[in-house]
Amino acid sequence: MKLKNKLITLVVAFLAAISFALPSQVNAANTDMVDTSNHNGLMTYDNYYDMLVHYGVKAVVQKVSEGTTYVDPTAKYNLASAKQAGLYLNGYHYARYTTVEGARAEARFAVAAAQSAGLPIGAVLATDVEASEQANSSYAANTANNKAFMEVVQAAGYRSTIYTMGSWVGTKMSVDKGWIADYPYNTSRDRYTSHHAWQFRSDQQFAGSYGNFDVSQLYDDFFTANQTPSPSAPVTPVPSQPAKSNAASDTDYAQTGVFKPSATVNIRTGAGTGYASVGSYTLGESVIYDHVYIRGTYVWARYLSYSGRYHYVALGVNGGESYGSRSSNAQTYSHTYYTVRSGDSFWSIASKYGISMYTLAANNGKSIYSLIYPGESLYIR
C-alpha cells in the first residue's frame, strides 16, 4: 500500500508539473477574428472555410483603404470569399491623418472604399491608428482626430472603433472600448477584457493560406452584430447543351480579352471542373484573360491572379451556352502589376514573371539595390 501510494503521489506530481510546463488550453486565447489585406493576397472560400472549421475563426476584418489615395486591391474579392464561407464581415482603414479635417477626408474615402468593396452597412469600419503620423502627434490631437473619423463613418451607417497598440492606450490617445494589439500572449492576456477585442499575435499561419496573419479574441458582439452569416459555396453553372468530350476538341490559343460573366462562375486552379475551386466571379465583375482553352465540354479563359498564379474561369459550353460576354479590346488593360509582399525581392518577383530583375527595376524607375516595401505596386509589363 505504501509503495502504491508513493507511485500515485509521483504520478500526480508529474502530471501537475506537465500542466504548468505546457500551454493551458483552458486559458488559451480564442482565434475569433482574423485580419486580411493585400499582404495575404487573394483569399479564397476554401481559405476562410478552413479557418472557420479548424481554427474557430468566425469574423474577418479586411483592410479597405489607407490615407486618401490607397484602396486595397484584394478587399472586394476577400470580403466576397469570407461571406461565402459564412464569416462575419468587417473592415479597417489605415490612418495617416494629423488634423480633424484630414481625419474627415480619410473617413469619407474609407466609406467609399468600403461600399465599393461590398462591406455591408452596419458592419464595423475601424480606424487603424499606429503610423508615424500619430506617433508624432499629441494625445489631444490624436483623440480629436479619431473622434472626427469615427463620426463620419458612423454617419454613413457603419460602426467604428479604434485599433491601436496597448502601449498607446491612454498615452497617445483616449480609447474607451477599442480593438487593442498587445503581444506576447503570456504577458498580455486578461488585460483588455473591457475592450471589444484583443489582438494577441501577428504571426498566425493557416494551412493553404499565404503569409502571417494577425488574430484576435473577441470580448463582445461588436464585430459580429447586425449580420446573419449565410454560407454559400461557389457553384458552376450547369450547361444547357453539354458538348461531348473528345480529343479533337481539346485545343488552346493565345488571346487577350475581357470576360464579363452573366452568372456566377467558379475560379479554378486548372482548365477543368476536376480542379479545385478557389472563388468565383459574379454578374457586374470582369476578368482580363490572356489565353483560351477548349477542353471537351467547356471553353476556359486563363488569367494571372494577384498571387502570381494562373487561375481559370469557364467562358461557356463548347458549341453551346455562353456564361457571359467577351470583348477583345483588352489592350488598354494589358499592363500587369504586382503588389509587393513581405519577403519579396526584385529577383523573386522577376523570376515569378519570367523577366530580368534589371528590367523590372528599370520599369519602376529603380535599381536592383533600391528598397521595395510591402503594399507597393510594381509595373511588370
Side-chain angles (χ1 to χ4, degrees), residues 90-160:
N90 303 280
Y92 74 90
H93 169 84
Y94 192 92
R96 294 291 186 182
Y97 48 71
T98 56
T99 65
V100 166
E101 197 47 54
R104 290 173 179 154
E106 288 195 26
R108 292 190 291 269
F109 182 77
V111 166
Q115 292 173 337
S116 178
L119 184 68
I121 294 297
V124 173
L125 179 54
T127 178
D128 180 346
V129 186
E130 59 177 310
S132 58
E133 287 87 343
Q134 288 81 48
N136 295 323
S137 295
S138 69
Y139 176 98
N142 283 331
T143 299
N145 296 341
N146 295 340
K147 181 175 182 290
F149 178 95
M150 291 190 291
E151 286 175 344
V152 173
V153 169
Q154 290 162 354
Y158 291 110
R159 292 175 299 116
S160 194

Side-chain angles (χ1 to χ4, degrees), residues 58-77:
K58 56 187 176 184
V60 62
V61 57
Q62 165 69 38
K63 180 177 181 178
V64 296
S65 54
E66 179 176 336
T68 56
T69 59
Y70 181 81
V71 174
D72 193 302
T74 67
K76 185 174 183 178
Y77 185 97

Side-chain angles (χ1 to χ4, degrees), residues 235-239 259-273 279-281 287 289 291-295 297-303 311-318 321-326:
V235 296
T236 299
V238 178
F259 173 61
K260 297 181 178 180
S262 57
T264 300
V265 293
N266 275 342
I267 301 168
R268 296 192 180 273
T269 56
T273 56
S280 65
Y281 280 100
V287 58
Y289 58 86
H291 214 91
V292 173
Y293 298 81
I294 299 175
R295 292 290 183 268
T297 301
Y298 300 96
V299 180
W300 298 86
R302 182 188 75 177
Y303 71 95
H311 287 156
Y312 304 78
V313 294
L315 300 175
V317 179
N318 182 15
E321 179 185 1
S322 173
Y323 295 156
S325 63
R326 282 192 281 169

